[in-house]
Amino acid sequence: MFENLSEKLQRTFKNLRGQGTVTEENIGEALKEIRIALLEADVNLNVVKDLIEHIRAKAVGQEVLTALSPTEQVIKIVRDELVAMLGTDTARFKFASQPPTVILMAGLQGSGKTTTSGKLAAWLKKGGHRPLLVSVDVYRPAAREQLQIVAKAIGANLYEGDLKGEAAGPALVERLAKEARREAIISGCDVMIVDTAGRLHIDEGLMTEMQRLKSLLNPQEILFIADAMTGQDAVRSAKEFHDRLALTGTVLTKMDGDARGGAALSIRHVTGQPIKFIGMGEKPDAFEPFHPDRIVSRILGMGDIMTLIEKAEEHLDRKKSEELAKKALMGDGFSLDDFREQLRQIKKMGSLQSIIKMLPSVGPFQGMQQAAGNVDEKQFTRIEAIINSMTAAERKNHELISGSRRKRIAHGSGTSVQEVNQMLRQYVQMRKMFKSMGKGGAVQRRLMGSLANMRGGR
Amino acid sequence: MLQSLFNTPEQKPGLMDRMKQAVARTRTGLQERMDDLLSLARPVDESALEELEGTLIASDIGVATSQEIIAQLRQQASRRQIRDGAELRHLLKAEMLRILDSVPLGQRTVTARPEVILMVGVNGTGKTTTTGKLAAYFREQGKSVLLCAADTFRAAAIEQLEVWGQRAGVEMVRTRQGGDPSAALYDALQAAQARGIDVLIVDTAGRLHTKNNLMAELDKIRRTARRFSADAPHETLLVMDATTGQNGLQQARLFTQAAAVSGIVLTKLDGTAKGGIVIAIARELQLPVRFVGIGEQMGDLIPFDSNAFVDSLLEG
Ligand SMILES: Nc1nc2c(ncn2[C@@H]2O[C@H](COP(=O)(O)OP(=O)(O)OP(=O)(O)O)[C@@H](O)[C@H]2O)c(=O)[nH]1
Ligand SMILES: Nc1nc2c(ncn2[C@@H]2O[C@H](COP(=O)(O)OP(=O)(O)OP(=O)(O)O)[C@@H](O)[C@H]2O)c(=O)[nH]1
Ligand SMILES: [Mg+2]
Ligand SMILES: [Mg+2]
């Protein structure tokens, strides 16, 4: 399927080596595969057509380099083309010279506006701002209560307002918005985030309401909150919202799933505005700036190595990791103590599932994504408990651990002897694997190299 | 009793019209192109077929299924020497209907009341809203309904369902926010049994199909239902948003694995998205569509009609 774009391209290029240049003929098959890959990632059909033509124009006539394989060469062109389309601008905000800065949240039903309002408020708070949240969704049941709970959870200010029994409609919406702005000024909040009701882009009444809200509040930012799972229709909704409101950016939500997120390309294409953030979960902190190169890898099924490295940077104790890597690869020094330390480090990065998800789905990591589904996170805790129940001497030298010791360890850790056996087997296997990797030298150098790169990072 | 869910014996007049109407609101470039392609005047050549494949893909049917449909048409077209668009339209419709209608409607029996319907799906698709609409739907058929608020995670999810309960005039069993959904279901099943309720509809929290711990929670919920009756839950409805792209296939696959989905509710068909992914799902996973959602009001739920659905895909 899609994850094998790289392989498919390799197949179509089998005969290309030695032909000297990429021609209309020999790239035809490859372009077909790229087209399918993009469509399966939910990039809009018309956008795909544009892209394919650009890629064709760039590729044809190129010399087949010796340094890169033709596959790598074409993938590079595809990547560059997609990254160029997504632009390089990131999560920057325009702030008003005269506070409060107003951010209007817009989008279809259920896309994640209310949740993202909370996330944005938490993000701004972290950056030293004082955001005020207000919901003008007077239509959906319990929509305003939802934002209220979200605001409380993150400790952000909320303008609750009083419906005073007024009928749901644009008049009430505008009153609440006006009152909230006054409240923001009085309470010294420098940013006001306006959560609105979900609406269809073809709903004349509600789209007009939104336009009026815009002219009333004169917002600095109008964000389109879009679901990463959206398919071909993304262009139509995004275009309509943009034509009516002049969006300033997009937040792509629910990126913590396995959707390829091709809608990002479609939306960027029709709005011309940057994707600013992505939503990575339901909790308030599951919110990240958007990086074009990363989503391109994802659309092409090549994993999110950058995010992984960044996460590692943030959470891992670099010196410890390097020591561990050195130990593991060079001698037989990888003890159970080291094993435990490594588990702890991994746990700090988040769930194992979320880590594995970021690995490429091609090449040596193929199949890992599926495997991620089967990982039992509790297993980690159990393994740690088992190691904790060992004596220091046992942790240094696992060969000490006899049958009776295993029984004691199982008892102490609340596990079974079978589990202890299994854990030890896994450990011995890992040790072996590290050792053989270390002997190869190349892997070791590469690992050291990437560690060095990490050190050089921001 | 389940019969009612599957093929509503007495459909309200004009349901099909309403469904068509809902989708017809939006005559778009896509439909115009489709019309043009399928018009009498246009000769059926390879470029027409290729363009048709494009329009199918634009409805989120997906590359594989679209290619298969077109391959069928190509074969038929050459065999029967079909030369005009009207005939092509006819064949295209027949092919899509064949895929949708060949899905078996898993008939099951309800041995003991209540009939339990479990609502599942990824975040924000319309589970809670559809739960409310379904309550009204069954009430209209003279059945007694009880709701179970088993989304204990999302902020104000319980309050949201409570409002729907009031609108539909049915009671709701809840637990506290953050409580155990299975415990809420246990209480609801007990209450339903004691009160002789016909249908118990269980609203669950949105969850991405890739999150194993959350999917395991669904399994626990199902086991709780089975403790009351071996054949419960009698129906597990995967609520899917019509705007969903190719990820819908994986959603259907994994929710079926984890929670034995028996049918799909396709929501938000009142927008411009076509929901073509359900054709791919029918082809690959043999899952039927039971209902479609066409708005945010209580009455905006219609039993699925493959004929009207395909028409809406082809002509708007
Ligand atoms: N997994 C995941 N779920 C998300 C994300 N963002 C939002 N959600 C969930 O999506 C669902 C809908 O989110 P809401 O914030 O209520 O969406 P909304 O756009 O305000 O919905 P309406 O107001 O009804 O139009 C909820 O279950 C959220 O928890 C995300 O980034 N990842
Ligand atoms: N236009 C339209 N909107 C719908 C339809 N069904 C649901 N909605 C809206 O979609 C949004 C999400 O609906 P919910 O019922 O809260 O979705 P949910 O699946 O329960 O969401 P979570 O519990 O957060 O996962 C709400 O704004 C609903 O009013 C429909 O058929 N058409
Ligand atoms: Mg909302
Ligand atoms: Mg819900």
Side-chain angles (χ1 to χ4, degrees):
Chain A
M1 236 178 66
F2 179 67
E3 39 254 43
N4 296 322
L5 175 64
S6 212
E7 286 168 12
K8 279 183 179 172
L9 291 184
Q10 240 143 29
R11 187 163 34 72
T12 69
F13 282 136
K14 240 197 334 243
N15 307 317
L16 193 56
R17 261 195 209 279
Q19 283 190 18
T21 51
V22 178
T23 65
E24 284 281 353
E25 291 77 54
N26 60 29
I27 200 174
E29 274 303 304
L31 287 176
K32 259 190 210 153
E33 297 292 356
I34 294 166
R35 173 178 175 270
I36 292 176
L38 292 172
L39 287 172
E40 283 185 342
D42 289 324
V43 183
N44 179 266
L45 186 67
N46 293 322
V47 180
V48 171
K49 275 185 193 152
D50 273 11
L51 277 167
I52 292 291
E53 282 326 303
H54 282 161
I55 293 165
R56 187 198 306 276
K58 288 241 168 82
V60 169
Q62 268 210 355
E63 275 180 40
V64 178
L65 302 171
T66 38
L68 291 176
S69 73
T71 308
E72 286 168 332
Q73 214 170 320
V74 170
I75 284 191
K76 187 174 177 325
I77 294 173
V78 176
R79 288 186 71 107
D80 290 351
E81 199 58 41
L82 299 194
V83 171
M85 181 178 251
L86 284 168
T88 49
D89 16 15
T90 44
R92 211 154 283 156
F93 267 144
K94 280 189 259 62
F95 288 96
S97 49
Q98 177 91 15
T101 296
V102 177
I103 304 173
L104 198 55
M105 310 292 278
L108 298 174
Q109 286 93 346
S111 63
K113 294 171 295 300
T114 306
T115 309
T116 308
S117 299
K119 290 176 177 179
L120 201 53
W123 185 80
L124 286 165
K125 266 186 70 180
K126 239 170 130 184
H129 294 277
R130 245 176 87 83
L132 176 80
L133 285 162
V134 60
S135 166
V136 298
D137 182 353
V138 295
Y139 306 101
R140 210 207 69 194
R144 286 165 41 78
E145 286 85 337
Q146 186 185 349
L147 188 69
Q148 213 171 310
I149 294 172
V150 167
K152 204 163 156 202
I154 58 172
N157 293 303
L158 172 97
Y159 178 69
E160 207 181 313
D162 186 348
L163 298 186
K164 296 178 190 153
E166 199 178 324
L172 177 56
V173 165
E174 284 174 37
R175 174 168 69 79
L176 286 172
K178 263 191 270 186
E179 289 171 3
R181 185 169 44 194
R182 197 175 322 130
E183 168 76 16
I185 295 168
I186 292 170
S187 59
C189 291
D190 62 338
V191 187
M192 170 165 122
I193 301 170
V194 186
D195 179 24
T196 66
R199 64 202 69 213
L200 291 173
H201 48 292
I202 51 170
D203 188 323
E204 194 50 48
L206 285 180
M207 289 305 279
T208 308
E209 172 193 286
M210 199 75 168
Q211 282 175 301
R212 280 172 53 186
L213 204 53
K214 178 186 174 182
S215 47
L216 177 76
L217 293 172
N218 197 16
Q220 276 63 42
E221 295 278 349
I222 306 176
L223 299 179
F224 185 56
I225 316 300
D227 186 324
M229 293 175 273
T230 314
Q232 295 286 319
D233 198 53
V235 288
R236 251 182 280 171
S237 49
K239 183 168 188 323
E240 193 65 34
F241 269 93
H242 186 57
D243 287 352
R244 295 270 197 148
L245 299 166
L247 303 169
T248 61
T250 296
V251 180
L252 204 60
T253 64
K254 309 180 198 173
M255 281 287 282
D256 45 326
D258 59 357
R260 296 278 184 203
L265 278 172
S266 309
I267 295 169
R268 169 81 206 212
H269 187 72
V270 295
T271 65
Q273 298 302 308
I275 320 273
K276 297 200 166 172
F277 294 94
I278 57 174
M280 288 296 288
E282 299 190 65
K283 305 234 172 81
D285 61 347
F287 190 60
E288 297 171 9
F290 174 77
H291 295 285
D293 45 332
R294 296 182 194 174
I295 198 174
V296 164
S297 299
R298 182 169 168 154
I299 289 172
L300 296 174
M302 292 168 180
D304 195 357
I305 290 284
M306 280 314 293
T307 305
L308 185 59
I309 292 177
E310 204 165 80
K311 245 196 165 153
E313 285 231 294
E314 206 176 298
H315 295 283
L316 293 187
D317 183 330
R318 203 167 298 133
K319 245 182 92 197
K320 264 192 200 148
S321 311
E322 277 176 55
E323 273 164 20
L324 274 177
K326 249 189 231 159
K327 263 180 134 175
L329 293 174
M330 289 180 176
D332 353 58
F334 189 67
S335 69
L336 283 160
D337 271 323
D338 300 329
F339 186 27
R340 181 174 58 179
E341 181 53 35
Q342 199 163 44
L343 286 179
R344 287 184 180 157
Q345 297 262 341
I346 292 175
K347 262 166 70 179
K348 271 200 277 181
M349 281 171 63
S351 78
L352 195 59
Q353 284 195 32
S354 69
I355 296 169
I356 293 178
K357 282 256 185 50
M358 286 184 261
L359 292 173
S361 54
V362 290
F365 300 107
Q366 207 174 335
M368 287 286 266
Q369 310 251 355
Q370 266 81 352
N374 300 324
V375 171
D376 178 3
E377 304 277 351
K378 284 198 205 95
Q379 184 81 23
F380 262 49
T381 319
R382 280 199 292 272
I383 292 180
E384 212 184 316
I386 291 173
I387 303 181
N388 286 342
S389 298
M390 297 174 180
T391 65
E394 286 166 348
R395 285 201 286 268
K396 279 232 161 52
N397 180 7
H398 71 281
E399 282 167 359
L400 285 179
I401 307 174
S402 61
S404 61
R405 283 177 187 236
R406 288 179 194 212
K407 229 182 259 166
R408 189 207 76 233
I409 292 166
H411 188 72
S413 57
T415 59
S416 65
V417 175
Q418 281 99 307
E419 276 176 285
V420 175
N421 288 340
Q422 195 193 348
M423 180 259 137
L424 283 169
R425 250 198 321 272
Q426 278 170 355
Y427 161 71
V428 170
Q429 250 171 31
M430 244 170 102
R431 223 172 111 92
K432 245 196 237 149
M433 192 181 76
F434 283 144
K435 249 166 103 179
S436 65
M437 271 166 77
K439 280 204 198 93
V443 179
Q444 183 184 337
R445 269 196 308 278
R446 209 183 298 164
L447 190 62
M448 290 301 152
S450 65
L451 284 171
N453 280 342
M454 275 167 60
R455 212 171 325 150
R458 291 140 294 159
Chain B
M1 197 178 303
L2 263 178
Q3 200 66 19
S4 59
L5 243 178
F6 294 158
N7 21 333
T8 35
E10 345 135 34
Q11 283 197 347
K12 267 188 267 167
L15 269 185
M16 181 152 158
D17 289 340
R18 271 191 74 201
M19 177 151 159
K20 268 194 197 169
Q21 216 179 356
V23 207
R25 262 209 242 148
T26 55
R27 285 195 63 85
T28 60
L30 173 64
Q31 266 81 53
E32 274 151 30
R33 244 169 68 209
M34 193 83 101
D35 278 355
D36 178 39
L37 269 171
L38 298 175
S39 74
L40 260 173
R42 173 106 185 227
V44 181
D45 52 15
E46 194 47 37
S47 86
L49 285 173
E50 245 169 55
E51 230 179 284
L52 197 56
E53 182 188 304
T55 53
L56 294 183
I57 289 171
S59 317
D60 289 318
I61 291 177
V63 178
T65 305
S66 298
Q67 282 180 345
E68 197 197 74
I69 292 174
I70 295 296
Q72 286 287 336
L73 290 184
R74 188 177 288 123
Q75 236 183 32
Q76 288 169 314
S78 69
R79 227 184 10 246
R80 298 195 215 155
Q81 301 284 307
I82 285 143
R83 286 276 155 253
D84 72 47
E87 187 58 25
L88 183 61
R89 164 195 289 273
H90 182 75
L91 286 175
L92 176 58
K93 184 173 169 184
E95 185 54 29
M96 291 203 265
L97 279 177
R98 192 188 58 74
I99 295 174
L100 286 171
D101 293 343
S102 65
V103 174
L105 290 179
Q107 299 274 0
R108 264 157 296 173
T109 39
V110 182
T111 52
R113 277 193 299 190
E115 173 184 344
V116 180
I117 302 175
L118 191 62
M119 311 296 288
V120 301
V122 298
N123 308 80
T125 54
K127 292 171 292 301
T128 306
T129 306
T130 307
T131 302
K133 291 175 181 176
L134 273 177
Y137 175 85
F138 287 119
R139 287 284 294 138
E140 225 170 273
Q141 295 182 356
K143 295 182 179 153
S144 55
V145 178
L146 185 68
L147 299 182
C148 172
D151 178 355
T152 60
F153 179 76
R154 209 209 67 199
I158 300 171
E159 289 80 353
Q160 186 185 356
L161 188 66
E162 194 162 39
V163 174
W164 276 106
Q166 285 157 7
R167 285 182 185 174
V170 306
E171 308 243 323
M172 178 184 95
V173 172
R174 65 194 292 170
T175 174
R176 68 191 162 75
Q177 163 104 22
D180 178 6
S182 295
L185 176 57
Y186 189 89
D187 290 349
L189 282 161
Q190 250 177 351
Q193 260 183 353
R195 299 179 208 171
I197 294 284
D198 295 322
V199 187
L200 173 67
I201 315 176
V202 188
D203 179 32
T204 66
R207 68 199 73 222
L208 293 178
H209 49 286
T210 49
K211 309 214 162 162
N212 276 53
N213 52 340
L214 297 182
M215 295 306 271
E217 185 185 272
L218 284 182
D219 187 54
K220 192 175 167 204
I221 290 176
R222 293 180 60 81
R223 274 185 280 130
T224 305
R226 268 204 300 279
R227 272 163 61 197
F228 273 76
S229 169
D231 46 344
H234 306 89
E235 181 95 50
T236 300
L237 295 177
L238 175 64
V239 182
M240 192 173 286
D241 187 322
T243 59
T244 309
Q246 297 313 297
N247 191 249
L249 205 51
Q250 195 63 357
Q251 285 174 31
R253 204 175 276 135
L254 295 190
F255 269 100
T256 302
Q257 268 171 30
V261 171
S262 57
I264 291 174
V265 180
L266 189 62
T267 60
K268 311 185 195 175
L269 256 191
D270 46 328
T272 51
K274 293 289 162 206
I277 191 67
V278 297
I279 295 184
I281 292 172
R283 183 175 83 102
E284 287 198 27
L285 304 168
Q286 271 73 54
L287 272 183
V289 184
R290 297 266 195 256
F291 290 93
V292 299
I294 53 161
E296 300 185 75
Q297 303 307 313
M298 200 154 65
D300 294 336
L301 185 78
I302 321 180
F304 181 67
D305 178 320
S306 56
N307 215 24
F309 179 73
V310 171
D311 275 343
S312 81
L313 264 173
L314 292 183
E315 61 197 37

